[in-house]
Amino acid sequence: MILRPQLQDIKIIFYYLGKIVIALGFLLFIPAIIGFLYKEISPIFDFLIASEICFILGFFLTISCRTDKDLSWMHGMIIVALGWLIAMFLGAIPLYLSNHFTSYLDACFETMSGLATTGLVLVQDLDHLSLAHNFWRHFIMFLGGQGIVVAAIAFFAKEASGAFRMYVGEARDERILPNVIHTARFIWLVSFIYLVLGTICLGIVSLKIGLPANKAFFDGACIFMAAFDTGGFAPYQQNILYYHSFAFELVTLGFMILGAINFNLHYALWTGKRREIFDNIEIQFLSFTIISLFALVAIDLTRFALYPSIDSMFRKGFFSLISAHTGSGHSTLYAVQFVKEWQPLALIGLILAMSIGGSVCSTTGGVKELRLGIIWKGVTQEVRRMMLPQASNIITKFHHLKEMILEDSMLKMALLVSLFYVITFWVGAIVGVFYGYPLLLSMFESVSATANVGLSCGITTASMPAVLKILYILQMWAGRLEFICIFVLIGFFIALIKGK
């Protein structure tokens, strides 16, 4: 029997959603300040209007649904799932007001792409978008990479129990510190320190290639937020290709890899546990899959002599592979080049890299290396069980921040989430084929959306069918939150209708 949610449940959910909306209202002041500094009058009002809407809605929800009840697991999951959708609708307002989007749906697509750190774009005439709006595109990527709810927890939460339930709902089930609020604050501390360092590094490189100082450091901040948060947005339509600099590409590559590493590993390295980088199963599998998949891509690119020099192979082939594998989505190629120049085997290599992704508790998407490692350990355990006497007690261990024993629950969850990803990949591909796109290219775009990568073979444009835009929004949303809280939300609505 399904129990119908009570009025108190709905009040708890909307009360905390109101807090998230208020937090978003404050964050909208930041691009407004950018507009003020660069004397962009119209964009300032775009963000102030959006901020005012957030405050009105947020205070209405918190006042009308005020409660002192703590969150249950159901509440936490639903708040996260709905919070991301509300953030998309509200965060899209200033982008739509910029007149650089053909519809509000396109602005919502761009916002979800930013929040989910995907990087697929529908903005029109990006090169002439205001600096305030451009900053907002990258800043929501910075927020989404660490997590909207993680941001709310870090700066507004007081109670750790309810905060942890929302933290887990945002596809983070590992705590760096014993207290989840301290964990959230550490994640933001690391991110802000890297933001300063990244902006300086990329800014200096931009100065070296001839950009003026204000433009160099603005671009540096934007590209860092997109690279570290494995998103792929850039201030210009040509993406990284705009800069025509090997040094710029190399620095960006480094930040993409940093963003794909578990925040727990960052903490271990910061506290002197440098051996962890060699022992950790995620890093071992990440290294293996990068080497293997680049070999696959390089063989195909070499076979057709597409990039004959080591320099061009690194800047086009290896950069694209790392961009795909880390979920960054930055590109030194035009989308049409994937279609007209890259052969199927190389594209399959990129699709596999995008689907795997980087580490758990990082800013990347995809199945993730830890789950891949757990599944592999599970397979080897079953092989050993078949080869050894029936009475043998088989214990499989692996190292992930500490020595861990493989449990059936770990294997079950790894297989379940991986299955959800694969099903979603195929759903998006089949819908793409229905609208007339080739299967391989449809799969490429579907995996890029679901795994929150952002590389495109040209399907994602403002002229693509509205159904496909909505589907990709749902894929980006579900892929970023890793499905479980989405199913809880669906179950909640079913319970409202059919519950007793």
Side-chain angles (χ1 to χ4, degrees), residues 285-299 321 349:
F285 268 79
L286 181 62
S287 303
F288 173 76
T289 52
I290 285 175
I291 293 169
S292 302
L293 292 173
F294 178 63
L296 182 68
V297 169
I299 287 170
L321 188 278

Side-chain angles (χ1 to χ4, degrees), residues 171-208:
R172 298 185 189 277
D173 53 2
E174 293 185 354
R175 281 185 287 189
I176 301 169
L177 299 169
N179 184 297
V180 70
I181 296 175
H182 294 161
T183 295
R185 288 172 182 167
F186 174 78
I187 288 173
W188 277 99
L189 173 64
V190 169
S191 301
F192 278 122
I193 291 174
Y194 281 142
L195 173 60
V196 173
L197 294 175
T199 301
I200 292 171
C201 291
L202 289 167
I204 291 172
V205 174
S206 299
L207 288 173
K208 293 289 185 182

Side-chain angles (χ1 to χ4, degrees), residues 26-137:
F26 282 111
L27 292 170
L28 282 160
F29 279 119
I30 297 175
I33 293 170
I34 297 292
F36 176 78
L37 293 175
Y38 285 95
K39 299 178 181 178
E40 298 174 335
I41 304 303
S42 181
I44 295 175
F45 287 102
D46 293 345
F47 288 102
L48 291 180
I49 290 169
S51 180
E52 184 178 1
I53 292 171
C54 287
F55 286 137
I56 292 171
L57 177 60
F59 283 116
F60 171 77
L61 291 174
T62 53
I63 293 170
S64 62
C65 300
R66 184 172 298 279
T67 179
D68 56 358
K69 299 289 185 181
D70 201 4
L71 298 175
S72 69
W73 281 106
M74 178 191 72
H75 298 142
M77 295 286 179
I78 293 169
I79 289 165
V80 169
L82 289 177
W84 278 70
L85 290 178
I86 291 172
M88 175 192 71
F89 287 118
L90 296 174
I93 293 172
L95 293 181
Y96 178 63
L97 293 175
S98 71
N99 293 319
H100 280 259
F101 292 87
T102 58
S103 66
Y104 182 63
L105 175 61
D106 286 10
C108 288
F109 183 101
E110 190 93 4
T111 306
M112 180 57 79
S113 182
L115 290 171
T117 70
T118 305
L120 294 171
V121 298
L122 292 182
V123 61
Q124 304 297 299
D125 193 18
L126 175 58
D127 292 352
H128 296 97
L129 185 67
S130 75
L131 295 178
H133 289 102
N134 224 333
F135 178 85
W136 178 242
R137 292 173 68 245

Side-chain angles (χ1 to χ4, degrees), residues 204-222:
I204 291 172
V205 174
S206 299
L207 288 173
K208 293 289 185 182
I209 61 177
L211 270 65
N214 62 338
K215 181 180 173 61
F217 288 99
F218 177 85
D219 285 12
C222 289

